[in-house]
Amino acid sequence: MKAGVYVSPGKLGVKEVPDPVLERGEVLIRVRAAGICGSDMNTYRDLSRFRGVADRVLGHELAGDIVAVGEGVEDRQVGQRVGIEPLMGCSRCDRCLTGDYHLCPELKHIGFAWSGGFAELSKAPAEKAYPLPDNVSYEAAAILDCLACGVHAIHRLDIGVPDSVVVLGGGAIGLSVLSCAKWAGARFAALSDPLSDAREIADKAGADLTIDPGQDDPVGRVMDATGGKGADVVVEAVGGRAPTFEQGMQMVKRGGRLGYQGFFSEPQAVDTRKLLTSEITIVPIFSYARWGTATEYQIALDGVSQGRLIADAMVTHRFPLEEIDDAFKAAADKDTSRAVKVIVNP
Ligand SMILES: [Zn+2]
Ligand SMILES: [Zn+2]
């Protein structure tokens, strides 16, 4: 099969590689859409990280058609359209048994431990291939990985009708959190991002306020919008070297919750006295897994199918597999490309 593989630092190319070998309980997927994620960017920029990637084929946000089923697979059929949940826990440990398989010490991802979606074919355990309703496109399904992170944020932060919510960062994760917060009924939801394209998508997701941090002080705008009290909930979704953690500390109300999903390059300083005397709860939000009897991936899929969550609106750029190098360049330099979500169509 053809696959987009690592060639040299910051350079990808298309090569012929062996097809995935189907094992018991697995399904083979003809990939139709695969999203480029921020976590792919870390690997793309750093050769050493590519060594752990199977066949050097990334792509954990994927959807496609089942073209073969392995031995023992009874509830999936050839021809089904499916979205792939890429997280694979061990199914035996304490964390897996309680449903928090994203915290499994042996957690593996399709697109890292296994050859992923930037290829004609990929494979997954049958139960990780979710049949798609007709009204959910392959591209929307490729974004379910981000939307499931948004569902996990709602779960972890207990966001509901009484809450005013501010999301810092309008990448695919931040926009997913905003869309999920509106679905959860938050009476006020705002998003701050310097990219006008991201703010326009936030408007489509029902944002009550968008803030351009290049023009306005986000803390001042949130204080104005909340009568000087601050937001009930702030969700940080940038990381890197952004000042968003401290912004969150300044705009969350006394007794409020500050969640963060961003991977920061450096440890973040926290004023523990302010935390103590304001009883601000800091909540790390990592990946997603199960919420009650449903997986957060399935909850996100239901939300998209019912038209309650945005998905297709986040796709700003599309490339065929042959142009995977351009696709990664667009995702790596969002200031120039104005990309929110880049999709590769193998
Ligand atoms: Zn991802
Ligand atoms: Zn486990």
Side-chain angles (χ1 to χ4, degrees):
M1 68 169 177
K2 278 192 197 130
V5 295
Y6 170 85
V7 178
S8 58
K11 177 87 184 155
L12 299 177
V14 176
K15 281 198 179 140
E16 196 66 33
V17 303
D19 289 357
V21 178
L22 208 52
E23 291 185 19
R24 191 179 169 79
E26 295 172 352
V27 294
L28 189 67
I29 313 295
R30 173 68 181 87
V31 182
R32 299 296 177 189
I36 300 180
C37 173
S39 56
D40 293 327
M41 282 296 120
N42 297 333
T43 313
Y44 169 65
R45 292 190 176 110
D46 180 358
L47 168 62
S48 64
R49 290 176 186 243
F50 250 106
R51 300 200 199 287
V53 178
D55 308 326
R56 300 189 176 187
V57 180
L58 289 167
H60 59 273
E61 303 179 352
L62 66 153
D65 302 311
I66 296 180
V67 289
V69 298
E71 222 182 298
V73 175
E74 279 166 11
D75 50 1
R76 297 291 185 280
Q77 288 95 39
V78 170
Q80 270 182 318
R81 302 167 67 249
V82 289
I84 305 299
E85 186 196 7
L87 288 82
M88 300 181 291
C90 74
S91 310
R92 298 179 308 273
C93 76
D94 169 74
R95 292 295 85 207
C96 284
L97 291 174
T98 55
D100 289 330
Y101 50 85
H102 63 310
L103 303 179
C104 173
E106 293 172 34
L107 181 69
K108 293 188 176 73
H109 278 88
I110 295 168
F112 290 104
W114 286 22
S115 170
F118 300 131
E120 290 176 310
L121 296 169
S122 187
K123 67 169 189 172
E127 71 275 13
K128 297 291 179 182
Y130 290 64
L132 299 177
D134 290 342
N135 69 348
V136 177
S137 69
Y138 295 117
E139 292 187 350
I143 292 171
L144 289 171
D145 182 64
C146 305
L147 287 165
C149 292
V151 172
H152 191 58
I154 306 310
H155 174 190
R156 293 273 291 156
L157 289 161
D158 193 23
I159 290 172
V161 173
D163 290 318
S164 55
V165 180
V166 179
V167 181
L168 300 176
I173 297 289
L175 288 165
S176 293
V177 174
L178 180 90
S179 190
C180 289
K182 290 305 291 186
W183 185 23
R187 70 191 161 100
F188 173 85
L191 181 122
S192 171
D193 193 277
L195 191 67
S196 62
D197 307 60
R199 297 196 302 276
E200 281 163 24
I201 299 168
D203 287 333
K204 286 184 193 156
D208 300 293
L209 172 72
T210 59
I211 303 163
D212 177 357
Q215 297 290 326
D216 275 328
D217 166 32
V219 176
R221 290 296 302 277
V222 169
M223 286 303 170
D224 287 347
T226 55
K229 294 196 291 283
D232 296 303
V233 182
V234 179
V235 187
E236 191 288 331
V238 186
R241 297 183 191 286
T244 37
F245 193 89
E246 179 56 29
Q247 281 175 359
M249 281 293 291
Q250 288 175 21
M251 64 172 67
V252 70
K253 75 169 189 185
R254 296 171 66 81
R257 294 99 83 195
L258 170 59
Y260 71 99
Q261 284 162 303
F263 277 86
F264 284 98
S265 313
E266 303 290 335
Q268 300 294 296
V270 179
D271 179 348
T272 51
R273 269 168 75 155
K274 179 176 174 181
L275 275 189
L276 181 70
T277 57
S278 302
E279 285 199 335
I280 294 166
T281 304
I282 294 188
V283 181
I285 302 158
F286 174 67
S287 198
Y288 57 91
R290 184 171 281 279
W291 187 358
T293 57
T295 61
E296 289 166 331
Y297 190 96
Q298 181 66 54
I299 293 169
L301 174 53
D302 291 348
V304 171
S305 178
Q306 294 163 11
R308 293 163 183 270
L309 293 178
I310 54 157
D312 296 278
M314 280 194 246
V315 179
T316 53
H317 292 61
R318 299 174 173 82
F319 294 88
L321 183 62
E322 287 67 29
E323 294 170 23
I324 188 163
D325 194 56
D326 293 334
F328 268 73
K329 286 200 166 75
D333 184 7
K334 295 191 170 191
D335 291 341
T336 306
S337 69
R338 307 177 71 82
V340 173
K341 179 54 78 179
V342 179
I343 296 275
V344 175
N345 298 116

